[in-house]
Amino acid sequence: LSSCVPHTQVVMRLLVSLQSPPVAVQEAVEVALDAGYRHVDCAYFYQNEAEIGAAFQKKFGEGKLKRDELYVVSKLWNIFHAPQDVKPAFLKSLTMLNLDYLDLYLMHSPMGFPSNPCSKQDQSPTKSSSTSLFSWQAMEKLVDEGLVKSVGVSNFNVSQLERLLSVCRIKPAANQVELHPYLTQPELVEYCKSKGIVLIAYSPFGCPALPCPVPLLENPTVNEIAQKHGKTSAQVLIRFHIQRGIATIPKSITPTRIVENAEVYDFHLTRKEIQMLEGLNCNTRFIKWNLLG
């Protein structure tokens, strides 16, 4: 794999979240690796990087996997935005993952939080663009030191990307954001494509655990397209992103679903079907980063 984000039609993605119990996390990663997944999306905030690292070491030890076959991503959490905190935070993730380097390190969000959660001072996010800039400069140094191959961002909108691109030395390789038919973000998609920034879609199924009039996985349009192709709604939603040139990280700890989510290369959505799915857009955001700045 190159130092860039792998092509969406070559490598599937796995995201494991903080809601998953430790044993289930390690098992899920092992199942995914055995099923051919090679891009694992991690974050300090998920609090499970040690379990993921254990899965890596087990597969390395079995001789079933080499480090250069993996594409591992982690993220700088918001309390570590001070420049002097960036490298220690990165090294903590690297140590827990039992790796010598990362392929991609993302700024988890444009907003920094106070590092002391018990402080009685103002707990609101730091919205200054200079905070992100100084954090980014520290992340660029990680590339210079050979600790990570690429750096990127997450939850950045167009204006935030423009500010960063106007001053950065190393262009962000990727922007990981919430994307699904209920939130297609066409302006952001086109902007990132124009700048050569790979979009990575999290929550490609919406958020089934949160209240919604019609959950995306149960949407009649999605179900109709799935039945036509003999596929599941989840597979259609993953394929939707792949055909838009967007990398996708479906989240699951269920072995059968992990394997199922990878079986999306034997069918093709028509242009009309893509337009039908795009027509579901209602700007519904399940992960409320917009409340933070």
Side-chain angles (χ1 to χ4, degrees):
L1 298 178
S2 69
S3 61
C4 298
V5 180
H7 194 280
T8 56
Q9 294 185 351
V10 177
V11 185
M12 276 296 300
R13 277 83 183 168
L14 170 71
L15 179 145
V16 187
S17 76
L18 74 168
Q19 291 90 358
S20 308
V23 174
V25 169
Q26 182 170 342
E27 179 186 359
V29 176
E30 291 175 15
V31 169
L33 295 174
D34 288 342
Y37 285 67
R38 291 297 180 264
H39 180 153
V40 183
D41 186 89
C42 315
Y44 171 87
F45 179 67
Y46 302 159
Q47 293 294 291
N48 56 19
E49 291 183 317
E51 291 77 25
I52 295 172
F56 290 159
Q57 290 306 307
K58 181 178 178 180
K59 293 304 173 183
F60 292 154
E62 292 173 352
K64 296 181 178 179
L65 188 67
K66 296 179 181 179
R67 172 63 185 96
D68 61 6
E69 295 175 329
L70 278 178
Y71 192 92
V72 183
V73 183
S74 189
K75 306 180 190 74
L76 176 75
W77 183 236
N78 305 341
I79 63 172
F80 302 123
H81 273 217
Q84 67 272 17
D85 294 337
V86 171
K87 186 174 180 179
F90 173 88
L91 291 175
K92 186 171 185 177
S93 287
L94 192 67
T95 298
M96 288 191 293
L97 289 167
N98 277 304
L99 299 175
D100 296 325
Y101 67 91
L102 293 183
D103 297 278
L104 178 64
Y105 196 51
L106 304 177
M107 186 181 296
H108 208 138
S109 94
M111 295 77 67
F113 294 158
S115 59
N116 181 5
C118 298
S119 172
K120 295 182 180 180
Q121 299 177 355
D122 179 20
Q123 292 290 304
S124 61
T126 302
K127 300 179 183 178
S128 169
S129 60
S130 63
T131 302
S132 295
L133 170 60
F134 294 141
S135 309
W136 185 259
Q137 290 173 335
M139 290 173 63
E140 289 176 327
K141 291 179 182 178
L142 299 174
V143 178
D144 297 337
E145 296 176 32
L147 293 170
V148 62
K149 292 186 176 182
S150 300
V151 285
V153 295
S154 184
N155 300 296
F156 271 56
N157 60 31
V158 171
S159 62
Q160 290 161 340
L161 285 171
E162 287 180 334
R163 287 199 298 269
L164 182 57
L165 288 171
S166 70
V167 294
C168 68
R169 178 169 57 87
I170 299 176
K171 185 180 75 173
N175 184 21
Q176 185 179 120
V177 298
E178 180 180 350
L179 281 173
H180 45 74
Y182 286 168
L183 183 70
T184 55
Q185 303 205 65
E187 180 187 3
L188 180 64
V189 170
E190 291 307 312
Y191 181 82
C192 287
K193 286 183 178 180
S194 72
K195 299 298 181 182
I197 299 172
V198 174
L199 270 174
I200 303 175
Y202 68 73
S203 297
F205 310 145
C207 195
L210 295 180
C212 179
V214 182
L216 192 52
L217 289 170
E218 300 173 15
N219 184 282
T221 298
V222 179
N223 288 342
E224 177 187 342
I225 295 172
Q227 290 173 7
K228 176 182 175 181
H229 292 278
K231 291 291 183 177
T232 66
S233 293
Q235 290 169 325
V236 166
L237 293 172
I238 294 171
R239 185 70 200 180
F240 169 68
H241 286 307
I242 288 175
Q243 289 187 215
R244 296 174 78 211
I246 297 170
T248 311
I249 44 175
K251 178 181 69 178
S252 180
I253 60 169
T254 305
T256 55
R257 290 180 180 172
I258 290 171
V259 173
E260 176 186 287
N261 288 342
E263 296 173 344
V264 292
Y265 299 108
D266 57 352
F267 75 106
H268 192 89
L269 300 176
T270 66
R271 181 57 197 158
K272 182 179 179 181
E273 290 168 339
I274 294 289
Q275 291 172 342
M276 290 169 63
L277 293 170
E278 290 175 335
L280 298 177
N281 181 52
C282 52
N283 295 318
T284 297
R285 187 182 298 274
F286 293 99
I287 311 301
K288 303 296 185 178
W289 287 98
N290 59 322
L291 296 180
L292 299 178

